[in-house]
């Protein structure tokens, strides 16, 4: 029997998830910050700007009214940019029933606090049950029914199973995982590495360089994850290496596209303006850099990305500095 699901955020990913849920027989109310966007989706049955060419089913209602979006909701799917997660939770927390399932689909770390999205949700609404949904999943492909596999992670197994059940379909496979911190760190840090992979492409480097960045990027994820209590095996799965591969290699990736522009000589501000959509890796680079310093975790790729993005370091020099670090064993 279909469920009533609220999706907070009508960007490309929120729209794709609404299509997936509606196709599974659920009634979806999707909230957009922009009234014009909500009206456009309802009128044209398409998110023309953010997910063009994907039909939004009639059972999806898009609204600019938070209370309307949350009406009768049995689960709330949070798909707002990570920088707006806390403010959005402050807005809706009074409407969330004890024990309600709230799903984070945003990938990033909060600036200054360095918290994951699930930690923000729990801080603002301690009585809800939190699940993180992550993995290699471009909205452009999910919206078109291209086979995809992702992870629903939660310390609450029953909540994870509920989310698995409502999303699972022949073209959308969902695994469960109890390691929510590892799943969220994988989803956040891969955006930093994808920015660097894009910079490498923009500089004209090749497959060798990208493979090295991705492999050593997994090492950085694992180091940070170990200190924060994550399971190392998580980073070998869909939310780790899987998401890293798809984000570092695809032109669907905003982080990679922004990185390419920076590698070609554009400033961070110019690159973000040209991509014209949220590039989560930028703020995450800053948060991850400071978190690594705080926890005394060695993350050289993240450190060089921070220098390029926020201190104006030449990207080509950053690559040289990475290559010429002290010699060491691979597994250190």
């Amino acid at each position: 029997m279909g469920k009533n699901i609220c999706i907070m955020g009508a960007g490309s990913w929120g729209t794709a998830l609404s299509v997936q849920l509606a196709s599974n027989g659920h009634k979806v109310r999707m909230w957009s910050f922009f009234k014009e966007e909500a009206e456009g989706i309802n009128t044209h049955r398409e998110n023309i700007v953010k997910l063009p060419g994907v039909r939004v089913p009639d059972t999806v209602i898009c609204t600019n009214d938070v209370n309307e979006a949350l009406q009768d909701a049995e689960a709330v799917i949070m798909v707002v940019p990570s920088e707006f997660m806390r403010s959005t939770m402050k807005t809706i927390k009074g409407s969330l029933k004890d024990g309600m399932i709230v799903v984070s689909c945003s990938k990033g770390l909060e600036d200054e606090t360095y918290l994951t999205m699930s930690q923000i949700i729990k801080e603002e609404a301690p009585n809800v049950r939190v699940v993180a949904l992550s993995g290699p999943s471009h909205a452009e492909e999910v919206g078109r029914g291209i086979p995809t596999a992702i992870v629903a992670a939660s310390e609450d197994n029953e909540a994870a199973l509920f989310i698995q059940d409502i999303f699972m379909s022949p073209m959308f496979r969902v695994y469960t995982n109890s390691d929510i911190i590892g799943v969220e760190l994988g989803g956040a840090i891969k955006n930093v590495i994808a920015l660097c992979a894009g910079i490498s492409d923009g500089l004209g480097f090749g497959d060798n360089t990208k493979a090295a960045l991705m492999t050593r990027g997994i090492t950085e994820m694992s180091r940070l994850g170990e200190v924060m209590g994550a399971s190392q095996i998580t980073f070998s799965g869909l939310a780790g290496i899987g998401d890293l591969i798809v984000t570092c290699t695809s032109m669907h990736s905003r982080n990679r596209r922004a990185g390419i522009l920076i590698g070609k000589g554009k400033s961070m501000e110019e690159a973000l303006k040209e991509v014209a959509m949220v590039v989560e890796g930028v703020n995450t680079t800053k948060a991850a850099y400071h978190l690594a310093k705080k926890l005394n975790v060695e993350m050289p790729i993240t450190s060089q990305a921070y220098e390029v993005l926020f201190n104006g370091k030449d990207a080509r020099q950053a690559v040289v500095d990475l290559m010429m670090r002290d010699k060491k064993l691979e597994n250190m």
Side-chain angles (χ1 to χ4, degrees), residues 35 43 51 59 66 105 110 122 134 138 142 153 159 171 199 201 225 249 256 273 293 325:
K35 186 177 181 180
T43 300
L51 198 64
T59 50
V66 170
C105 298
E110 187 175 41
K122 287 297 284 186
S134 191
H138 290 310
V142 171
M171 293 293 113
I199 291 172
D201 290 334
T249 62
R256 182 186 173 218
K273 185 176 180 180
K293 291 285 188 185
R325 293 170 60 243

Side-chain angles (χ1 to χ4, degrees), residues 31-243:
W31 173 81
S32 171
F33 182 78
F34 306 101
K35 186 177 181 180
E36 298 81 3
E37 181 175 63
E39 292 174 347
I41 290 171
N42 290 331
T43 300
H44 302 292
R45 292 289 102 199
E46 179 183 359
N47 191 330
I48 294 172
V49 174
K50 295 174 181 173
L51 198 64
V54 174
R55 187 180 187 282
V56 178
D58 294 339
T59 50
V60 175
I61 297 171
C62 194
T63 178
N64 181 237
D65 186 318
V66 170
N67 292 324
E68 183 182 358
L70 290 166
Q71 183 179 334
D72 300 322
E74 296 171 72
V76 179
I77 316 296
M78 302 294 295
V79 205
V80 296
S82 59
E83 63 185 302
F84 300 121
M85 180 62 79
R86 188 177 294 278
S87 60
T88 306
M89 283 301 304
K90 286 182 181 296
T91 298
I92 70 170
K93 64 183 181 181
S95 302
L96 302 178
K97 300 173 184 176
D98 286 355
M100 178 174 277
I101 297 173
V102 178
V103 183
S104 170
C105 298
S106 306
K107 298 174 180 179
L109 300 172
E110 187 175 41
D111 198 16
E112 296 185 2
T113 70
Y114 322 133
L115 295 176
T116 66
M117 298 300 102
S118 71
Q119 290 170 332
I120 294 170
I121 292 169
K122 287 297 284 186
E123 269 198 359
E124 294 297 332
N127 296 324
V128 303
R129 303 151 75 193
V130 184
V131 178
L133 197 67
S134 191
S137 48
H138 290 310
E140 295 84 351
E141 297 187 1
V142 171
R144 289 172 171 79
I146 292 175
T148 299
I150 61 169
V151 179
S154 180
E155 294 176 353
D156 184 328
N157 187 55
E158 185 180 330
L161 289 171
F162 178 90
I163 298 305
Q164 182 183 49
D165 286 342
I166 65 171
F167 276 106
M168 190 93 161
S169 77
M171 293 293 113
F172 199 75
R173 182 167 179 79
V174 184
Y175 292 86
T176 60
N177 190 327
S178 61
D179 180 21
I180 189 169
I181 186 68
V183 165
E184 287 195 288
L185 282 177
I189 304 303
K190 62 91 184 178
N191 285 331
V192 178
I193 307 304
L195 267 171
C196 295
I199 291 172
S200 172
D201 290 334
L203 288 168
F205 297 145
D207 295 338
N208 293 354
T209 317
K210 189 178 292 185
L213 276 169
M214 292 167 68
T215 307
R216 297 309 298 174
I218 283 289
T219 299
E220 294 197 10
M221 280 185 200
S222 299
R223 283 179 186 151
L224 184 61
E226 183 176 11
V227 171
M228 295 180 68
S231 169
Q232 293 300 293
I233 197 170
T234 298
F235 302 109
S236 300
L238 290 165
I241 190 66
D243 209 359

